[in-house]
Amino acid sequence: MIHVINNKIKTKYGLSYIVADSEELLEDAINHHRQHFDYISVVLTTETYHGIKTSQRCIDILNKLKSENLIDEIIETKPPAPLVGRHCRNIALNSLQNSGCDYGLVSDVDEFYEHDQINRVKEILKDTSIDMTYVYLKHYWADEVYAFEDHGKYNETLVPFIFKVIGDLTYGTCREAVPYVDPTRTFIKVLNWKLIDPTDCYMHHFWMVRSDIREKFQHRCNMSGWDINTFEDNIKYWEEWTPGMGGSGFYKSGVQIQPLYKQEHSIKLNKFYNYARRR
C-alpha cells in the first residue's frame, strides 16, 4: 500500500503486542516504541492457558493507553491450548495486514529495542529486496543489569524483528525456517531474510525482570510440566537470587546454564521503563 503525505511517499510501520501478563512493563514499552510506529495494536488474551483471567489492572492500563492514542486497536481472544503463542501472533499479524502496514513487528511486552537500533534497521530495510530481519537477544534476569552470558555475548537463538507485511504471510510450522527460531514465531512462507549484526541491533529481553515472578509462571504454557514443588522451588530461587548464583533453578533437569555476568554497558531502565528496582 502506498501512503502519500505532503506529496511524499511514506512507509507505514506497525507494531502489535501480545499481552497476557507483564502489564507492569506495558505502559513504558508502548511509550518507548510508539515514536517508531504509525500503528500499534494489542492482542489481549482474556484467559490464559491455565485458566487465569486477565487482571483488571491490565485492562485499565490498556484502556488508558487507548484513550491517549498510544494504542490504535485492542483485540481480545481466548487462545486454544496448546497453540497459544501461534494463535495470538497470527491475530497480531492480521491486524497489521488489515491496517495497511508496509512493515511490521509482532512483539511480547518484555521485548525492548533502543531508539538508534530501530532506526538503523529501518535504514537497512531501504533495500527492498529484504523481506524479513532477524536479531540476536540478551535475556535479562531479575534486574536490568544482569543477563545470561550464553554462547559469548548474545544468546544464539534468533527472533524475527521488523518484516515486510505480505498478504499471504502466516505463522506456522516451516521445515525450512531460519535455525534456532522460537517455533511459535516461524513463518510458513520462507522469506528473503537478513540477520542483523548485533552491533546494529539486538533484543533486550526482560524475560525474568518482574516484580512478581509467580504471575509470570502462572501465565506460561510451557511451565505446565512442573509439579507444585518445582513451581514453588523456582519461585523461591528467584526471590532469593543474588548476583553470582546462576540461573539453573529455572530449568528442568539436564539443562546447563552459563553463569551470569554484570553488564556495565547495558541499557538502564530509566531509558524506557520506569521499573521500581527491587535490589
Side-chain angles (χ1 to χ4, degrees):
M1 180 177 292
I2 297 176
H3 309 275
V4 179
I5 299 176
N6 297 327
N7 297 320
K8 294 182 179 179
I9 297 177
K10 185 180 187 305
T11 301
K12 184 174 182 178
Y13 288 89
L15 167 61
S16 188
Y17 279 110
I18 311 299
V19 175
D21 69 321
S22 49
E23 63 264 23
E24 64 189 284
L25 303 170
L26 177 60
E27 186 166 3
D28 294 292
I30 291 178
N31 271 306
H32 176 72
H33 292 116
R34 177 80 236 201
Q35 65 180 277
H36 299 285
F37 296 93
D38 306 289
Y39 165 85
I40 291 184
S41 65
V42 166
V43 178
L44 174 65
T45 56
T46 56
E47 186 175 318
T48 72
Y49 180 89
H50 302 290
I52 299 171
K53 305 287 186 183
T54 302
S55 71
Q56 187 59 48
R57 176 191 178 197
C58 182
I59 293 171
D60 291 344
I61 291 172
L62 287 172
N63 288 334
K64 173 180 178 289
L65 294 173
K66 193 168 189 303
S67 70
E68 295 171 351
N69 297 318
L70 292 170
I71 295 175
D72 298 290
E73 185 177 10
I74 300 172
I75 306 158
E76 296 185 0
T77 183
K78 182 180 177 182
L83 302 176
V84 176
R86 188 176 297 166
H87 171 86
C88 291
R89 294 189 196 286
N90 275 320
I91 293 175
L93 179 57
N94 289 339
S95 76
L96 299 175
Q97 293 166 334
N98 294 337
S99 65
C101 293
D102 302 296
Y103 289 89
L105 169 62
V106 175
S107 179
D108 294 337
V109 177
D110 58 4
E111 300 170 2
F112 288 88
Y113 300 89
E114 296 182 68
H115 295 302
D116 58 347
Q117 292 178 329
I118 298 173
N119 290 331
R120 281 195 291 268
V121 173
K122 284 185 175 182
E123 283 296 313
I124 291 170
L125 285 169
K126 288 182 177 179
D127 176 353
T128 57
S129 68
I130 300 171
D131 298 320
M132 164 71 70
T133 57
Y134 287 86
V135 295
Y136 290 102
L137 68 154
K138 289 183 181 179
H139 291 308
Y140 288 72
W141 181 282
D143 207 333
E144 86 281 9
V145 294
Y146 296 98
F148 285 113
E149 189 174 33
D150 187 9
H151 303 281
K153 193 173 182 182
Y154 303 93
N155 187 286
E156 73 172 358
T157 302
L158 304 181
V159 289
F161 189 41
I162 299 174
F163 57 87
K164 193 178 291 182
V165 179
I166 301 170
D168 58 349
L169 197 61
T170 186
Y171 289 96
T173 302
C174 179
R175 296 186 182 276
E176 300 177 68
V178 181
Y180 308 117
V181 175
D182 177 347
T184 71
R185 303 186 191 218
T186 56
F187 291 99
I188 291 175
K189 183 175 182 178
V190 178
L191 301 172
N192 183 21
W193 57 275
K194 179 178 178 63
L195 175 59
I196 303 299
D197 189 294
T199 59
D200 286 322
C201 182
Y202 63 90
M203 180 203 290
H204 300 264
H205 188 199
F206 281 13
W207 179 53
M208 288 290 175
V209 180
R210 297 290 193 278
S211 58
D212 181 3
I213 204 67
R214 181 180 297 274
E215 180 185 48
K216 177 183 175 68
F217 284 170
Q218 288 173 336
H219 283 76
R220 288 178 62 85
C221 60
N222 60 356
M223 302 297 182
S224 57
W226 289 7
D227 60 31
I228 187 62
N229 291 329
T230 304
F231 185 87
E232 294 299 332
D233 286 348
N234 286 328
I235 290 174
K236 185 172 185 287
Y237 184 92
W238 184 88
E239 289 176 340
E240 295 179 352
W241 180 88
T242 57
M245 283 177 63
S248 59
F250 284 88
Y251 288 84
K252 299 176 182 179
S253 60
V255 179
Q256 184 175 357
I257 302 302
Q258 297 297 321
L260 299 170
Y261 73 104
K262 185 168 182 177
Q263 294 178 260
E264 298 295 347
H265 303 291
S266 66
I267 291 182
K268 298 302 180 184
L269 285 179
N270 59 14
K271 290 184 71 173
F272 49 40
Y273 170 32
N274 298 319
Y275 182 70
R277 293 184 59 180
R278 301 182 306 109
R279 304 181 187 281

